[in-house]
Amino acid sequence: SESEAMWRQLLDISLKYDELYIAQRCAAAVGDIAMSKYLDKVNTEKMDIENEQGGDSAIDHYSIRSKMSLLNKDLRRAEDELLAQGKVDQCIEMYQKYYKYTDAIRIAEQNRHPATVEMRGEYFQYLLDTNQ
């Protein structure tokens, strides 16, 4: 419908200009509950960071940037944001959450993570168990 198209257009513009609260409301209006809930989590985290920083905008905080990259399905950019801050464990967890085990192992190897051997062994066992 025409109104749904207008909501979607507003959603796109809101995301482009980092207006997360408006984007969340637009996602709910078009029935994209998953996006609405995700944006609610991101917006809540953004407000928490702003409160910790004394009111400064947190839209450029690495955590918010990485989550917005995930929303845009840009895992590499999210990876870059996390690794630039030394958040190796968070980066590995992100890839594991999205079943990107080879990428998780790659990050672990590149950063000499102590669990690299264990992760590789679990991944190979998973492949064997699932006949892949």
Side-chain angles (χ1 to χ4, degrees), residues 90-108:
Q90 283 182 351
C91 189
I92 291 170
E93 289 170 13
M94 172 193 74
Y95 277 123
Q96 289 174 333
K97 180 179 177 181
Y98 293 104
Y99 304 103
K100 303 278 187 183
Y101 297 112
T102 54
D103 288 318
I105 293 168
R106 174 181 54 80
I107 297 299

Side-chain angles (χ1 to χ4, degrees), residues 1-17 19 22-23 26-27 29-30:
S1 73
E2 186 176 328
S3 65
E4 184 175 336
M6 291 172 70
W7 279 111
R8 288 197 182 280
Q9 185 177 16
L10 182 57
L11 172 61
D12 293 341
I13 292 168
S14 300
L15 289 172
K16 179 179 178 182
Y17 290 101
E19 296 292 339
I22 295 170
C26 293
V30 297

Side-chain angles (χ1 to χ4, degrees), residues 11-77:
L11 172 61
D12 293 341
I13 292 168
S14 300
L15 289 172
K16 179 179 178 182
Y17 290 101
D18 299 321
E19 296 292 339
L20 304 185
Y21 180 75
I22 295 170
Q24 176 199 352
R25 299 294 306 247
C26 293
V30 297
D32 192 340
I33 304 305
M35 180 183 284
S36 179
K37 285 183 177 183
Y38 185 79
L39 286 170
D40 181 54
K41 277 180 35 181
V42 174
N43 202 33
T44 299
E45 182 177 344
K46 178 180 164 277
M47 290 188 306
D48 289 345
I49 293 168
E50 288 170 351
N51 288 336
E52 289 173 13
Q53 295 179 348
D56 293 339
S57 177
I59 199 67
D60 288 327
H61 191 272
Y62 80 91
S63 178
I64 304 304
R65 286 193 316 257
S66 70
K67 286 177 175 53
M68 294 308 292
S69 295
L70 289 176
L71 182 67
N72 293 320
K73 299 176 181 80
D74 190 350
L75 271 68
R76 285 293 184 165
R77 185 166 173 210

